[in-house]
Amino acid sequence: MIELNGKHIVVTGGGAGIGLGIVRQCRALGAQVSVIDIEAKHRDRVTQLGAHFLQADICDPDALKAAVAQIKTCDGLVNNAGITIQKPLAELELADMDTLWCVNQRAVLLLSQLLAPKLAQSSMPAIVNIASNHAKASVAGYEGYAGTKGAVVAMTRAMAWSLGPQGIRVNALAPGLTMTEATQEMVADKPRLMQEFENWHAQPRVNSVDEIGRVAAFLLSDASVAINGAEIVADQGMSARLGALR
């Protein structure tokens, strides 16, 4: 049975999308949750779930350190905050590359460094790094994004060995297309597009944010104690298909 009673979980980017689904599932399983999010507008929806909201830009090291200073204990960390930039390769600018690297990659390393001492004081701590199925199979225009998510998977393997002696497990969770607010807006009044999205999956359906949240909660729980340094792909078979999707 999966339960998180008595655990304190920190989730970045927990005010919307997959992050909010993770917060909701962790709370449902009895965890205390602190959310680090750049958007102040997400405060109310987070606090309504009974979670603590900390506003900070994860690309600002000083702001991130200040947020961590407010966290007294930590049993689990979900490095969820991320950004997607899709552009033709020739149009990808240095600023785009820097933003992708800072949000999707550097912040994962920095926050894990900052919280490792507090995680090490927990009886069975865990880190879940949110990657993407783009780390396994991608398409044109996602070079920057796919590169950073591939880096998250590679970093996860190394972090598992760096933090293992402190008792900290580290795993990567790689979702595929998920029914976030952005996806919902994309398919609104577009049944043919929704049908296309569904056909990308072995079962003709798109994962919800809460379904991804439950996988993250499992990886945070003591039920997954045997899993360390792994990449868990949760994309309904999307990246398992042979041949291009067009």
Side-chain angles (χ1 to χ4, degrees):
M1 179 178 177
I2 301 172
E3 57 91 11
L4 296 173
N5 288 323
K7 292 184 180 290
H8 181 201
I9 309 298
V10 176
V11 182
T12 64
I18 288 174
L20 188 62
I22 293 171
V23 172
R24 191 155 43 229
Q25 293 305 310
C26 287
R27 288 291 296 144
L29 291 170
Q32 296 180 347
V33 181
S34 291
V35 169
I36 301 175
D37 199 295
I38 192 173
E39 296 286 357
K41 65 183 181 181
H42 294 154
R43 182 184 301 273
D44 287 347
R45 62 166 60 169
V46 167
T47 55
Q48 286 171 5
L49 290 173
H52 182 52
F53 185 87
L54 297 167
Q55 185 181 5
D57 180 355
I58 61 173
C59 280
D60 181 341
D62 291 333
L64 202 52
K65 290 174 184 177
V68 168
Q70 298 182 58
I71 299 169
K72 303 307 178 186
T73 63
C74 184
D75 302 287
L77 166 63
V78 184
N79 285 304
N80 165 78
I83 187 170
T84 304
I85 297 177
Q86 179 190 13
K87 284 186 176 182
L89 179 59
E91 298 176 14
L92 192 66
E93 300 177 357
L94 283 175
D96 298 324
M97 299 177 199
D98 288 344
T99 299
L100 285 164
W101 170 73
C102 181
V103 176
N104 294 356
Q105 184 176 353
R106 191 185 75 175
V108 173
L109 278 174
L110 180 56
L111 189 55
S112 298
Q113 281 182 325
L114 293 172
L115 280 175
K118 296 178 182 182
L119 284 160
Q121 296 175 21
S122 174
S123 61
M124 201 168 291
I127 295 175
V128 177
N129 295 326
I130 302 300
S132 166
N133 63 352
H134 277 270
K136 295 179 68 67
S138 194
V139 293
Y142 283 92
E143 287 81 5
Y145 175 75
T148 57
K149 290 303 185 177
V152 168
V153 174
M155 290 191 304
T156 296
R157 298 188 188 106
M159 288 170 64
W161 280 91
S162 293
L163 299 177
Q166 300 175 52
I168 304 170
R169 292 185 300 112
V170 189
N171 290 294
L173 170 56
L177 180 65
T178 305
M179 195 56 68
T180 62
E181 295 95 327
T183 306
Q184 290 171 349
E185 291 177 7
M186 192 183 306
V187 300
D189 301 320
K190 297 177 182 176
R192 291 182 64 181
L193 180 59
M194 186 63 204
Q195 183 67 56
E196 181 180 351
F197 283 174
E198 290 175 345
N199 290 340
W200 289 356
H201 302 83
Q203 293 180 345
R205 56 183 298 277
V206 178
N207 283 330
S208 71
V209 295
D210 286 282
E211 287 167 339
I212 300 301
R214 284 192 283 275
V215 180
F218 166 70
L219 292 173
L220 290 165
S221 76
D222 298 351
S224 63
V225 66
I227 305 174
N228 198 5
E231 175 192 9
I232 306 300
V233 179
D235 70 353
Q236 288 285 350
M238 184 178 176
S239 59
R241 179 174 177 174
L242 180 65
L245 296 173
R246 296 187 182 278

